[in-house]
Amino acid sequence: CWIDYILAGHNTLQRCLVGLHGHAYDITDFVESHPGSPETLLVQSGRDATSFFEDLGHSMGARRTALSMCAVMDRSCVEARRRNATDVTSVASAAKSSTQSSCGLCLSGNNKGIVPDRSDVATSRALAAEASGSIPMARSKPRRSGCLKRVRDDLNKGRIKAQLCADRWAASVGHGTSLENGMLGSVRVYWDPLRGEWLAWHTNMHFQPEFLDSSVTRFGKTS
């Protein structure tokens, strides 16, 4: 849930972040060279896009490319994979981080969370090696960290309700046709721990994020 909160609205050419398998990736420098079109990345970024990423069946090469852009890792997700690893490659790569703490977030890129320019091949490869284990090398289901299961389950239930409300709101405005700048894709929801409520945002026709009033996630709310 932290991914959707932290990354919300970061889906522009100036700053493009995406969540995959519990980790955050800075793909800003990669957007315009993406084989599947820059627009696809812009619409799908600014949130956890694991399901979308896996539904497309990205190749091992694409996954290795993603590793070189890892900005923030959730150690609990890597540790969960280490415990469930069955093949030699998975065990070996996960073992590299076995001496580190198995929970909490950590910055990649020399602990600064800075993703190197893609022209810096050596540094990119070093970051990919450091992030080894954060993305499975074959199509798989989204991972779940082993922390605070009950809290996570409650948040997932809240997300479903908030998304339903947001989808109803989008349908009521003609899926963006009555919005001043229109809307691409769907409305994204996220939990704001500081305000203690579900909020929403969307991407307009100019590929810019627009944050919505909190009433959007309470639209048509029932007990």
Side-chain angles (χ1 to χ4, degrees):
C1 192
W2 70 270
I3 288 181
D4 289 334
Y5 170 62
I6 295 296
L7 305 190
H10 292 288
N11 67 326
T12 67
L13 290 174
Q14 292 72 40
R15 185 68 164 172
C16 194
L17 306 175
V18 67
L20 295 173
H21 288 285
H23 315 285
Y25 296 79
D26 185 345
I27 60 174
T28 307
D29 193 45
F30 176 69
V31 172
E32 296 193 80
S33 59
H34 180 236
S37 83
E39 292 78 10
T40 299
L41 287 187
L42 293 176
V43 171
Q44 297 300 328
S45 296
R47 66 177 184 120
D48 182 347
T50 302
S51 295
F52 180 81
F53 179 85
E54 292 296 352
D55 286 346
L56 293 180
H58 283 82
S59 66
M60 184 177 293
R63 295 165 189 272
R64 286 172 175 162
T65 297
L67 287 177
S68 68
M69 295 179 278
C70 184
V72 181
M73 294 178 65
D74 183 343
R75 288 191 179 119
S76 65
C77 289
V78 176
E79 177 67 11
R81 180 166 184 257
R82 186 183 70 81
R83 291 195 303 268
N84 297 326
T86 56
D87 59 276
V88 176
T89 302
S90 297
V91 173
S93 61
K96 294 179 181 179
S97 58
S98 62
T99 57
Q100 299 177 338
S101 171
S102 61
C103 63
L105 305 178
C106 62
L107 296 176
S108 299
N110 296 323
N111 293 322
K112 295 181 180 180
I114 300 176
V115 173
D117 187 286
R118 287 177 54 77
S119 62
D120 188 347
V121 178
T123 305
S124 292
R125 287 179 177 173
L127 178 55
E130 178 186 344
S132 177
S134 59
I135 289 184
M137 289 294 102
R139 181 181 291 187
S140 65
K141 296 180 179 179
R143 297 175 184 165
R144 287 186 176 183
S145 64
C147 302
L148 302 173
K149 181 181 184 300
R150 185 172 181 178
V151 173
R152 184 177 65 245
D153 289 345
D154 288 343
L155 285 172
N156 284 337
K157 291 178 181 178
R159 180 199 303 279
I160 292 174
K161 293 180 179 179
Q163 188 64 61
L164 178 61
C165 293
D167 290 342
R168 289 176 178 172
W169 173 84
S172 73
V173 297
H175 200 68
T177 55
S178 64
L179 296 176
E180 180 179 355
N181 295 310
M183 179 167 60
L184 290 171
S186 60
V187 178
R188 316 295 188 187
V189 301
Y190 64 95
W191 173 256
D192 188 325
L194 300 181
R195 296 178 58 171
E197 59 183 345
W198 288 95
L199 299 177
W201 66 284
H202 69 90
T203 303
N204 64 31
M205 298 299 289
H206 303 293
F207 290 95
Q208 293 298 314
E210 290 189 2
F211 288 86
L212 305 170
D213 185 88
S214 60
S215 61
V216 168
T217 56
R218 296 194 298 269
F219 183 87
K221 184 176 180 180
T222 57
S223 58

